[in-house]
Structures are given as structure tokens and as C-alpha cells.
Amino acid sequence: MESGQTGRPVDPREPAGPREPGEPGESYGPGRGTGRRALLGAAVLGAGGAVLGLSGTASAADARKTAGAAGVKGAAHGGGLKDLPVPTIIGHRGTAGYRPEHTFGSYELALDLGADIVEAGDLVPTKDGHLVCRHEPEIGGTTDVADHPEFAGRRTTKVLDGVSTTGWFTEDFTLAELKTLRAVERIPANRPHNTLYNGRFEIPTFEEVLAWQDEQTRRRGKQVWIYPELKHPTYFRKLGLGTEERLARLLRRHGKHRRTSPVLIQSFEPTSIQRMNKFVDNPLAVLLSGADSRPWDFVETGDPRTVADLVTPEGLKEIAGYAQGIGPTLDLIIPKDSAGRLTRPTTLVADAHRAGLILHPYTMRNENPFLPAEFRKGTDADGYGDAFGAFKAYFATGIDGVFTDNADTGVLAREDFWND
């Protein structure tokens, strides 16, 4: 549990360990990140050129775009994962660096800025069984639910994956009730500019996302990809709200359950991905947190293995039996020392590729607190560091793609990488 966030579980996708100056939970004044406006403007221009096919990338770079996808297990010729450029830029919860996450405003901006895939969304169920897109089932930090007196009595404490968590939970609301809420910025200390959009966007359902995907594909004249994540599936299965079955039914209803369908499915629970492998033919990925952590489904079933066991050649070979990729934390690709600086890369990229798996690590962000120490510039809570330098370091390891809160920065960093 993070300091300053009473009653909230630690999210594997958020920075762990001692908090650096400016990280979420600390109080700072308005940010003075002087480079953001210039960087965003340049990135939008660069991403726009890429989206419109105006990039002047050389032929040698074109070969690099698809080289990493050639060995993707189960990818069909002329479709599926092989259609994606490498490294793939994945809009994390849309483009969470610029809009409140998991909203159509965030999703559409990610596409505008050049993301190849949009993580739409983190899937959690409502009381009446609908899948909605929220970062966590607890919605006190991502919606204005606390401002709704009619829901004051819904605030409660539950044990979520072993952590006592206080707040409001999606499974205690009907879809109609959730639709009366509006999204807010989750980490305003780091992204005060995002609070401008508080209250503008409602909570999307995943069925709405599937329809949005089709509409955006038609409008943009290119296939839009999405990357939903099943959140806390063991927890919800115990509540009688199994999320794998619900997701599979929606994908089949929309004809998006095939190996070449533009929908990748991910989860931090390996057994959840194994279940999805039986229900649909979509490409699947197992998310991996810190090396010493244990997936919650392993905790529940008494499986003693940790993530360190899963990233051995033997563990990766097992994952390759039911999934096409892994989503490791960036620290599993290049560990950091005690000062937060990058050390030597591990063998995970080579080992995963040898097993036939692609790697989509998480999460690249532009703000200083989320970058390796050597790429930080100043200590402002929302100040940008040398994100391009950090992208270059991770791309150089041979990863197949990366989740990022700043799709435009990722697109420009990829152009630099291709042209080096």
C-alpha cells in the first residue's frame, strides 16, 4: 500500500518503493515543467505526419518496423499481430498523460497522437453484470462519486487481493448509476493540467468501446487495435461476476474473437489468460509485476511461484503454451540500482523471443518522478525529463512495444530509433 493512499492497494503498474520527490501522494505547488508545451506541440506535428503516412522513414527503417513481429507465435500471414509496427506504441489507458484515463477523450487522443494500440480498457464489472472501463473496481480516485450524496452510503471497506481497501466499488453500482458519474484525473499532483477535463467524460462500457473501435476504424481508414485488461478476475469470480466469460461473450457477439482480430487481451493472473485461451482465439498476454511478487491467483491456489519463476526459460516456455506475449514491468527489462539509475539489461528479451513470445513492457511516462534517475530534469511534480533518452534505452533492448501515457512522445522516439 502506498504511503498517503490509505485504503488503496498498490497497483503493479505504478512506481514502487520509496517515493521520489514529486511522486503521487506528496503535496506540491503548480508544476513548472517548461518543456511540456514545446514537446507536446512538436510531438503532435510528428505524430500527425506518421498517421497521415507522411513520414520520410528510409527503407532500412521500414525493415526494422516489422522485424520483431516475424517470429510472433500464432500470427497469421497478412493479418493479426504481424500488421503492427515494431516497436509498437501502446496508448496506456488511452493517453493518460493528457486526459483523465479510460475515457473516450483519452482513447481518441491516443489515436490522434499516433498510438498503434489503445489500452481500452481495464475491465471491471457492475452489479448488473456489465463490463466497464476503470483503472480499478474502487472508483473514488477516478470519478466524482464522492460528490454524489446519493451514493455516500455505498462507501465501504473490502479486501481486494489481500489489501484492505476503502472506497466505492463498481460491483456495488448498476450501470445506470455509474453513468451518472464523471471521470476525474487520478494523479493530479503530477498532472494538474488534466484536471481541466474533470467532469467532461462518462465511464465507458466495453461494449461501447467495441462499437467505438469500429467507428474509429471506418473514420480513420485504418484498423484500430485495442488491448483490454481483465482486472482482479479471481476476486470477481468469487463474487459470482466472472469476467472472462463476459468478455468472451462480447467478443463473439462482435465477431472479434479470432486470432487475427485486432483485440489483444491481458491480465496479471496467468490462470485468467489460460481461461481466455479456452474461450477465444485472440492473442493473449500475461502481465508481470516485480520479480518477487506473486500473481494473486497463485496466492489463492497455493502456487508458490513468483514472477521470477515465470521469467525463467522454463516459465516462459510454459506461458508460450497458452499466450502469445508478456507485459513485464520495465524493471524486468533493465533493473535499476539503489539510486534509481538503469543498470545492465537482463536476458528477458532474448529468452522471451526464444520462447516465441513478444514483449510489451509498461509504463513509459514523461514526468520526472516516473523516469530512471539519469533521465530526470529537476524535481517539479509535473516537470518533463528526457523521456526520449529513456525510450531509446528501452527500445535498444529489442522489446516489441511499450505502454506509454504519452503516445506522441513514443511515436517520435520510435522514429528516432528507426532512423538511427
Side-chain angles (χ1 to χ4, degrees):
M1 184 179 298
E2 294 187 20
S3 174
Q5 293 187 333
T6 304
R8 291 173 187 253
V10 173
D11 183 343
R13 292 208 182 199
E14 304 306 330
R19 181 175 284 112
E20 295 291 333
E23 284 194 57
E26 296 193 7
S27 177
Y28 286 80
R32 295 179 295 277
T34 57
R36 170 181 291 110
R37 194 167 298 169
L39 177 60
L40 177 57
V44 169
L45 179 61
V51 170
L52 295 173
L54 301 178
S55 172
T57 308
S59 58
D62 291 336
R64 295 177 72 175
K65 295 179 187 181
T66 55
V72 172
K73 179 182 177 183
H77 292 288
L81 293 174
K82 286 175 69 70
D83 286 344
L84 294 168
V86 176
T88 306
I89 303 302
I90 305 161
H92 187 229
R93 306 174 194 161
T95 189
Y98 309 126
R99 297 290 186 275
E101 60 196 32
H102 287 313
T103 61
F104 282 121
S106 185
Y107 296 160
E108 291 193 18
L109 185 58
L111 294 177
D112 292 342
L113 298 181
D116 305 303
I117 309 177
V118 179
E119 188 191 31
D122 292 338
L123 303 182
V124 292
T126 66
K127 182 178 182 179
D128 46 351
H130 296 274
L131 291 180
V132 296
C133 303
R134 285 293 84 197
H135 170 51
E136 288 286 339
E138 199 289 302
I139 55 175
T142 62
T143 74
D144 62 358
V145 64
D147 297 330
H148 286 251
E150 67 272 26
F151 297 136
R154 305 281 179 93
R155 191 172 188 268
T156 186
T157 298
K158 301 188 180 189
V159 178
L160 180 61
D161 290 4
V163 178
S164 181
T165 306
T166 299
W168 292 263
F169 296 80
T170 59
E171 67 268 23
D172 295 332
F173 291 77
T174 65
L175 178 59
E177 290 172 330
L178 286 180
K179 283 294 187 178
T180 68
L181 307 180
R182 293 296 179 265
V184 300
E185 171 55 35
R186 186 177 58 85
I187 49 173
N190 296 87
R191 292 168 178 170
H193 52 289
N194 279 11
T195 62
L196 173 65
Y197 304 99
N198 285 355
R200 291 191 65 91
F201 306 112
E202 66 178 32
I203 298 174
T205 69
F206 188 62
E207 188 149 30
E208 290 170 343
V209 165
L210 293 172
W212 169 87
Q213 179 187 26
D214 292 339
E215 189 273 332
Q216 292 292 315
T217 295
R218 289 191 297 270
R219 199 181 93 187
R220 296 171 188 269
K222 60 179 291 187
Q223 180 62 61
V224 167
W225 284 70
I226 58 174
Y227 212 144
E229 178 189 344
L230 289 160
K231 300 292 293 226
H232 307 288
T234 295
Y235 168 81
F236 285 118
R237 197 175 306 121
K238 283 187 169 184
L239 297 178
L241 292 168
T243 51
E244 295 96 342
E245 296 85 353
R246 285 171 168 79
L247 175 56
R249 282 197 297 269
L250 286 173
L251 292 173
R252 289 185 174 277
R253 184 183 305 163
H254 288 259
K256 298 181 180 182
H257 59 288
R258 303 178 178 89
R259 181 54 52 89
T260 56
S261 295
V263 183
L264 286 79
I265 301 167
Q266 55 181 331
S267 176
F268 278 101
E269 297 189 14
T271 58
S272 181
I273 293 300
Q274 290 175 31
R275 288 171 66 85
M276 290 306 302
N277 188 46
K278 296 177 181 178
F279 295 153
V280 295
D281 291 328
N282 297 73
L284 308 171
V286 175
L287 296 168
L288 301 168
S289 189
D292 295 334
S293 67
R294 289 171 67 197
W296 185 251
D297 52 336
F298 284 15
V299 174
E300 287 278 334
T301 60
D303 189 326
R305 291 178 297 169
T306 65
V307 167
D309 297 307
L310 297 180
V311 297
T312 63
E314 295 77 16
L316 293 167
K317 183 178 179 181
E318 178 184 326
I319 290 174
Y322 57 86
Q324 287 66 51
I326 57 174
T329 176
L330 287 166
D331 287 347
L332 291 175
I333 305 294
I334 310 179
K336 297 186 185 79
D337 63 19
S338 59
R341 300 175 63 89
L342 296 180
T343 60
R344 293 176 59 87
T346 67
T347 63
L348 179 56
V349 173
D351 292 342
H353 284 165
R354 195 173 296 115
L357 295 166
I358 60 172
L359 300 93
H360 290 159
Y362 63 89
T363 303
M364 278 296 303
R365 297 174 167 100
N366 286 355
E367 294 90 0
N368 281 309
F370 308 121
L371 291 170
E374 64 266 43
F375 297 109
R376 298 172 188 165
K377 294 182 178 180
T379 58
D380 284 341
D382 71 331
Y384 280 5
D386 178 17
F388 290 117
F391 270 106
K392 181 178 181 179
Y394 290 115
F395 285 161
T397 65
I399 59 176
D400 300 281
V402 66
F403 287 84
T404 176
D405 283 4
N406 308 87
D408 50 352
T409 311
V411 168
L412 280 180
R414 179 177 64 188
E415 288 289 330
D416 292 343
F417 178 66
W418 282 343
N419 288 310
D420 277 348

